[in-house]
Amino acid sequence: MAADTQPEVIIYVVSDSAGDTGELVVRAAVAQFHPIHTEIRRVPFVHDEASLERYVAQAKQHGAIMLYTLVLPGLREAMLQLAENHGVTAIDLLGSLIQSLEQKTDRKARQEPGLNHVLDENYFRKVDAVEFAVKYDDMRDTTGILKADIVLVGVSRTSKTPLSMYLAHKQFKVANVPLIPEVGPPPELFQIPKEKVVGLTIDVHYLNGIRKERLKALGLPDSASYAKADRIEFELQYAASVMEKIGCLVIDVSHKAVEETASLILEHIESV
């Protein structure tokens, strides 16, 4: 072997799930030994002792290291014994941590391979829903109405945007549409099942106070038409006529926290 030739290390990553966790750990470790060339051989979805024995024998033949993320106790014990019998270096990535957590919590592990992927899928669904809510906020693109799980409609300052974001974190894709008399409702509102649409209404005087505070926060006088009671009443009457035409559920959000309104919406969605 030439003096400048780097040795190759083979590492088997064995898992009763996809093996992503084990491979990430191996890559993090071998990065510390650059430029040594390392070959990672992932062995996913191993569910029986015969398969384990076959891969341990291969690892022995190649002088490889084995790292395993086996959730099922029977497989972990079999792997430990096989590695010992064949004289193969095998590292248990999860076993000791699972045992420590069982002792600390006084609870048994669920022993279900792949649960981290379930969490990952939930996470990415949540991210998709949040991105959807941002994209289809305030009728920026009315095509979102046709793609949404839930469509919120109502006049300005009825908590449409915060509700959209809250529901997005529950993995629902939400579009929200402001109802403005001078603009008119988008036709897509009448092209989807009415059960998907939720109308938000509010007390005139309560909304009057909210809008005045909004104008102050923007450094504007609270005497603007936007915050006048007669203008608000006109908008609410118009919104009520649109909601009646759709035939959707209507929720009064006056004095309600976002979480409370969201709970009512979820109850409605789950019941249809």
Side-chain angles (χ1 to χ4, degrees), residues 119-139:
L119 293 174
D120 287 346
E121 289 169 11
N122 289 338
Y123 171 77
F124 286 116
R125 278 199 293 268
K126 185 187 297 183
V127 169
D128 286 344
V130 169
E131 289 178 349
F132 187 95
V134 171
K135 183 176 181 180
Y136 298 110
D137 180 52
D138 264 357
M139 208 168 57

Side-chain angles (χ1 to χ4, degrees), residues 11-12 14 52 55-56 59 64-68 79 88-91:
I11 303 176
Y12 282 76
V14 182
L52 283 179
Y55 290 114
V56 170
I65 297 171
M66 302 191 80
L67 180 137
Y68 56 99
M79 183 69 184
V88 172
T89 299
I91 302 156

Side-chain angles (χ1 to χ4, degrees), residues 41-169:
R41 298 182 180 179
R42 194 195 292 199
V43 183
F45 306 112
V46 176
H47 297 132
D48 60 84
E49 190 173 336
S51 297
L52 283 179
E53 186 163 16
R54 182 167 69 253
Y55 290 114
V56 170
Q58 289 180 19
K60 180 180 181 180
Q61 180 183 353
H62 295 104
I65 297 171
M66 302 191 80
L67 180 137
Y68 56 99
T69 57
L70 298 169
V71 172
L72 300 174
L75 284 180
R76 285 205 309 269
E77 292 164 8
M79 183 69 184
L80 180 64
Q81 190 61 54
L82 285 166
E84 187 177 326
N85 292 346
H86 286 271
V88 172
T89 299
I91 302 156
D92 183 359
L93 186 60
L94 294 181
S96 59
L97 179 57
I98 288 174
Q99 290 168 4
S100 297
L101 286 169
E102 286 180 335
Q103 292 170 3
K104 188 73 174 177
T105 63
D106 197 29
R107 295 177 64 179
K108 296 296 291 181
R110 291 170 64 178
Q111 300 178 6
E112 298 176 38
L115 284 179
N116 59 320
H117 290 281
V118 173
L119 293 174
D120 287 346
E121 289 169 11
N122 289 338
Y123 171 77
F124 286 116
R125 278 199 293 268
K126 185 187 297 183
V127 169
D128 286 344
V130 169
E131 289 178 349
F132 187 95
V134 171
K135 183 176 181 180
Y136 298 110
D137 180 52
D138 264 357
M139 208 168 57
R140 291 174 186 166
D141 182 349
T142 57
T143 63
I145 294 170
L146 304 176
K147 305 171 188 175
D149 301 316
I150 302 169
V151 179
L152 304 178
V153 299
V155 301
S156 174
R157 312 309 293 176
T158 48
S159 300
K160 295 186 300 301
T161 297
L163 271 169
S164 296
M165 297 306 296
Y166 184 92
L167 292 167
H169 280 83

Side-chain angles (χ1 to χ4, degrees), residues 5 33 37 40 44 47 71 91 122 129 135 154 168 173 189 213 226 246 248 256 272:
T5 301
F33 296 89
H37 175 61
I40 300 172
H47 297 132
V71 172
I91 302 156
N122 289 338
K135 183 176 181 180
K173 292 182 177 180
L189 277 179
E213 289 302 316
Y226 175 75
I246 296 170
C248 63
K256 282 188 176 68
V272 296

Side-chain angles (χ1 to χ4, degrees), residues 154-204:
V155 301
S156 174
R157 312 309 293 176
T158 48
S159 300
K160 295 186 300 301
T161 297
L163 271 169
S164 296
M165 297 306 296
Y166 184 92
L167 292 167
H169 280 83
K170 299 292 184 182
Q171 301 175 26
F172 288 91
K173 292 182 177 180
V174 185
N176 78 73
V177 179
L179 296 178
I180 306 167
E182 292 79 9
V183 176
E188 289 90 345
L189 277 179
F190 305 96
Q191 297 170 14
I192 60 173
K194 65 181 182 181
E195 292 79 12
K196 284 189 174 186
V197 184
V198 176
L200 305 176
T201 191
I202 193 168
D203 176 75
V204 173

Side-chain angles (χ1 to χ4, degrees), residues 2-41:
D4 61 349
T5 301
Q6 298 294 342
E8 181 181 82
V9 178
I10 299 173
I11 303 176
Y12 282 76
V13 177
V14 182
S15 177
D16 44 16
S17 183
D20 294 335
T21 302
E23 183 171 344
L24 285 171
V25 170
V26 169
R27 291 191 181 281
V30 300
Q32 301 299 318
F33 296 89
H34 181 79
I36 291 177
H37 175 61
T38 304
E39 180 183 345
I40 300 172
R41 298 182 180 179

Side-chain angles (χ1 to χ4, degrees), residues 2 28 59 82 90 125 144 149 199 222 228 235 245:
L82 285 166
R125 278 199 293 268
D149 301 316
D222 63 9
K228 287 185 176 178
E235 288 184 31
K245 186 176 179 182

